[in-house]
Each structure stands twice: as structure tokens, then as C-alpha cells.
Amino acid sequence: MKDFDIGRIRADFPLLRREVNGKPLVYLDNGATTQKPQQVIDAIIHYYQDMNSNVHRGVHYLSQISTDAFEVTRRKVQAFIHAEHEHEIIITKGATDGINLLAQCYGKAFVHAGDEIIISAMEHHSNIVPWQMLCEDKGAVLKVIPMNSDGELDMEQYQALLSPKTKMVAVTYVSNALGTINPIAEIIALAHQNGTPVLVDAAQAVQHLKVDVQALDVDFLVFSGHKMYGPTGVGVLYGKEKWLNAIPPYQGGGDMIKDVTFEKTTYNELPFKFEAGTPNIEAGICLAAAIDYLEEIGLDRIKAYEDDLLAYATEKLLAIEGLKMIGTAEHKSSVLSFVIKGIHPYDVGVILDKLGIAVRTGHHCAQPVMDQYRIPGTIRASLAMYNTREDIDALVAGIERAVKMLL
Ligand code: PMP
């Protein structure tokens, strides 16, 4: 594809040059985590070699430069998702951490017995269990938007679920198990007509398509650094200022306070109210390098390249006899989930691994999705911007070999 220098991009990722089981690595497990470009690796080394120090505390030079660098990330995230204010960006450990934070804090203030939380049939466990826990605590009820056999949400049913009892709608932007891109703007608009805030799980979205929180008018949004070419152990919870001011903090500790006496503590202002204790400083700082990397290439170009590769892979995989694609929504991003008649997904995964091809097999932390299709799991190939048609050809050849061996 012109305008997309895949050779240069691949050269930025040192791990892609290694062999696995004596074969060149074909890495197709990007939905689980992405590889890191040299720019991010260099930023991590630079942090420890030149600036390691705790943030938001010291008056000394190193503490000031690490604090500044940490706050640079916050501003980069703000621009990356087009938030109105930088204090609307809460640095978390990851998407899971952000959802748990929100469920607990929002729940404490706004959810009571008999209230309802709406999620969808295709959520990752991390956008199911925290809401389930909250519902159990509060005597609230979890409602689920159903989906059809293509893996598309039933929007009529969704509208029917919305009621004065609905206190939160929490939905994924892109499904990690099916690849479906949900009509998130419509979901948000309908919830708002009902007076209900929306959390969007963008863990599988921000690395594949441009996300603009103001254009979407979304109330809360989470994602993880490690799935967007950045470090592990860092993520983001975006929240509209009015909501973040309205909900109490999650954890108590250093950084989140203004004043502490044994009688009473007053909380710090946003965003620090939600950032108790020493964060993952290195990951927080180096997330900026991942954002720079994505923005330098450009999400529009990444999306066009990945969409083309997804179409190519879909066609090639469907040509394999007995292969059934799980997740055939009209709007999809970067995920190919499939089963092969008469073969357990795990067995295919093991043979592919012997060939140096990394895919994921199992329920992909979305067990209810597998239950709906009445399957134990799928084989999932998930794409990143550095994957190529050659990777797909290797996958197809590997599956054909596995089928010959197993059938
Ligand atoms: N939501 C989705 C859609 C995901 O794919 C994942 C990770 N597989 C998560 C949430 C959780 O992300 P993390 O493990 O980085 O917290």
C-alpha cells in the first residue's frame, strides 16, 4: 500500500526479527499485547539511565524532570483522544484498573438497590465482572444488550433496556473476541436521551482508529498502554470533569490528598484525587513515546492499512475447508476469530506455535461470547500495523498443515 512504509515500520520493532522454534516469528497475538518499537524501548532505557525519581514529590532536579515527563504524557493523552482538559486524564494500571476504579467510585455515589447497569453480550470479562461485583454489593441488576449471530448488537433491544433505572451503560468500542466495531456514537446518544452516562472500553480501539471523546460526547473511556505499542502496567481512564468531580476517590494514600489529620482528610483536586500512591512512573512516562509513534504514522493510515489486511486475511482464511469465522459483523477491526470443523482450537494453536506463528486460542476472556456460539473457544489472529500479507500467507499455510495432521 503506497503511503505506508511497512518495511520501515517493521524495522522499528526489534522483537519481530527473532526466531521462535527455529522459524521466523509471525506475531498475530496483538489483541493480547503488541510488540514495542525501538522508540518506546529507548524511552524506557532513557528513563532509568537519566531521570529515575519519584513524581509529584521532590523539590530536587530529578524529581522535577520525571514529574514533568509524567505530566507530558497526560497532555499527550489529552490531545490523543481530544479531551477538553488534561485533568480529565487519570493514569491507571490499565483498562481493567480503570473499569474497576469507575465501577467502585461511581457505584458508591450513584448506584442503589434496584438500579440497573447495562453492558453488552460481547464484553471482555474486565467490563463484566466489576459491574457484577457492584451489582452484588448494591442489590442492583445487570442487563445485557443481546447480539445477533454475526456479532452485532441488537440496537432495538438496547433501546428497550434503557429506563429511568439505568445508571450506567458500559460497552466495548471494538470486541476483542469478534472484532466488531460497535455503533458507539449511537449508543452514547441514546443513553444520553435517557439521562445515563456511558463508559466506552476502548482497549481494542485506540490503536486501530481515531478516538475523539468530545466528538463522541462519551462520559468515561478506558484503554491500556501495552495494546497500543506502549509499556505494560499503564492505562488511562478518561472522565468528563463534571463526573470526575461528582464521584468520590477510589484508593486512599499519598498524592491523592490535600490535607491529612487523624480527624479528617481533604482530597486533592483532579486528576490526583484518583491517583493514590506511586504510579508506574516508567510506564507512565514512556506511554508518551507510544503515542508519538502512533501519531507520527497516523491512525487514518494505520486504519486503512489494517482494513486492507483484514479483508485479505478474511478471504484467504475463508478459503480453508471447514473453517468458520466467528464474528462476521459488517464493521470490523483487526480480529479474525475462527473455528475449524472437527478440530479443537488449542491443537491448532500448538502446531502453529511450532511453526513460529503466535495466535491465541480459547475464550479470550469473553466466555459469554463463546457460550452464545456454543463453542469452547476460537483460534484468534489479531492484527497490528506491522503485520503483512506474508504473515497471513504463513498463517494459512500453517493451518492447512495443522488440518492435515489433525484430521
Ligand atoms: N477490554 C478489552 C476489549 C480487552 O481486549 C482487554 C484486554 N484483552 C481488556 C479490556 C483488559 O485490558 P488489560 O488487561 O490491559 O487491563
Side-chain angles (χ1 to χ4, degrees):
M1 185 179 271
K2 73 172 180 4
D3 219 25
F4 197 81
D5 190 349
I6 185 68
R8 208 212 81 194
I9 289 168
R10 285 185 69 81
D12 285 336
F13 290 82
L15 198 137
L16 296 180
R17 294 196 280 277
R18 70 159 289 170
E19 293 192 340
V20 168
N21 292 324
K23 304 280 189 319
L25 170 67
V26 175
Y27 187 76
L28 291 166
D29 192 20
N30 298 289
T33 200
T34 53
Q35 300 306 337
K36 318 303 170 200
Q38 192 64 51
Q39 290 84 334
V40 170
I41 298 167
D42 287 346
I44 294 170
I45 293 168
H46 172 55
Y47 169 73
Y48 282 115
Q49 278 185 352
D50 301 315
M51 61 198 297
N52 176 47
S53 185
N54 210 334
V55 289
H56 304 144
R57 293 205 171 90
V59 290
H60 65 83
Y61 176 77
L62 288 180
S63 180
Q64 281 175 21
I65 58 171
S66 60
T67 301
D68 288 350
F70 199 82
E71 293 308 313
V72 163
T73 293
R74 201 184 307 278
R75 287 194 289 281
K76 289 220 161 144
V77 172
Q78 179 200 354
F80 181 62
I81 59 172
H82 195 221
E84 191 178 352
H85 306 291
E86 69 182 84
H87 57 254
E88 294 176 317
I89 308 301
I90 314 295
I91 307 289
T92 65
K93 285 191 297 184
T96 304
D97 191 38
I99 299 170
N100 278 278
L101 186 164
L102 184 65
Q104 290 303 313
C105 299
Y106 177 86
K108 217 192 273 186
F110 291 106
V111 180
H112 304 100
D115 286 343
E116 294 177 355
I117 307 286
I118 296 181
I119 61 169
S120 90
M122 66 177 83
E123 297 310 311
H124 187 277
H125 294 164
S126 62
N127 201 27
I128 302 174
V129 185
W131 299 111
Q132 233 164 16
M133 290 161 82
L134 172 67
C135 287
E136 266 171 34
D137 264 9
K138 295 281 187 163
V141 182
L142 197 65
K143 297 276 174 178
V144 182
I145 312 167
M147 66 177 180
N148 65 20
S149 58
D150 285 323
E152 293 167 328
L153 294 182
D154 183 330
M155 294 299 283
E156 273 179 29
Q157 287 290 327
Y158 167 52
Q159 268 178 274
L161 286 177
L162 286 164
S163 84
K165 289 186 193 163
T166 314
K167 287 293 145 70
M168 175 67 76
V169 174
V171 181
T172 194
Y173 201 145
V174 175
S175 157
N176 69 309
L178 303 167
T180 311
I181 304 176
N182 283 317
I184 225 70
E186 200 184 333
I187 290 172
I188 294 165
L190 288 166
H192 286 175
Q193 277 170 30
N194 193 57
T196 309
V198 178
L199 161 71
V200 167
D201 173 357
Q204 299 289 347
V206 286
Q207 64 280 52
H208 299 301
L209 44 96
K210 187 84 199 117
V211 171
D212 181 330
V213 292
Q214 290 187 79
L216 288 171
D217 197 22
V218 66
D219 304 280
F220 303 99
L221 182 127
V222 293
F223 56 91
S224 290
H226 70 98
K227 293 180 197 283
M228 52 181 284
Y229 311 100
T232 314
V234 67
V236 169
L237 165 66
Y238 158 81
K240 279 185 186 164
E241 182 186 44
K242 67 166 186 185
W243 281 116
L244 293 179
N245 276 328
I247 62 181
Y250 180 41
Q251 297 176 320
D255 267 358
M256 57 75 73
I257 51 90
K258 217 177 223 144
D259 242 336
V260 180
T261 66
F262 288 122
E263 287 71 40
K264 171 107 190 115
T265 291
T266 49
Y267 302 134
N268 207 340
E269 61 222 18
L270 294 176
F272 308 109
K273 180 171 98 172
F274 293 104
E275 294 181 358
T278 300
N280 187 338
I281 305 169
E282 153 244 313
I285 288 176
C286 300
L287 181 61
I291 293 174
D292 285 345
Y293 192 80
L294 277 164
E295 291 194 322
E296 197 205 312
I297 294 166
L299 274 151
D300 290 343
R301 285 198 291 161
I302 292 169
K303 182 170 186 329
Y305 178 80
E306 290 181 347
D307 283 352
D308 180 70
L309 195 57
L310 180 69
Y312 178 81
T314 305
E315 190 190 324
K316 291 282 167 181
L317 286 170
L318 286 175
I320 297 174
E321 210 182 304
L323 185 145
K324 181 169 178 240
M325 199 64 75
I326 303 293
T328 46
E330 191 186 339
H331 301 289
K332 274 186 70 170
S333 170
S334 299
V335 172
L336 301 127
S337 230
F338 50 89
V339 289
I340 298 167
K341 200 164 180 229
I343 303 179
H344 197 282
Y346 178 79
D347 296 337
V348 180
V350 170
I351 293 174
L352 290 176
D353 178 54
K354 295 270 178 288
L355 300 170
I357 302 167
V359 295
R360 182 148 293 231
T361 63
H363 55 58
H364 318 297
C365 296
Q367 252 177 308
V369 172
M370 304 302 138
D371 291 347
Q372 172 159 343
Y373 287 96
R374 295 178 194 283
I375 50 177
T378 71
I379 304 156
R380 183 187 73 179
S382 49
L383 309 176
M385 66 165 113
Y386 44 63
N387 288 123
T388 60
R389 289 187 174 207
E390 290 72 36
D391 289 343
I392 302 303
D393 294 343
L395 172 70
V396 170
I399 293 170
E400 278 167 348
R401 192 154 157 198
V403 170
K404 265 198 204 116
M405 288 167 74
L406 293 167
L407 273 186

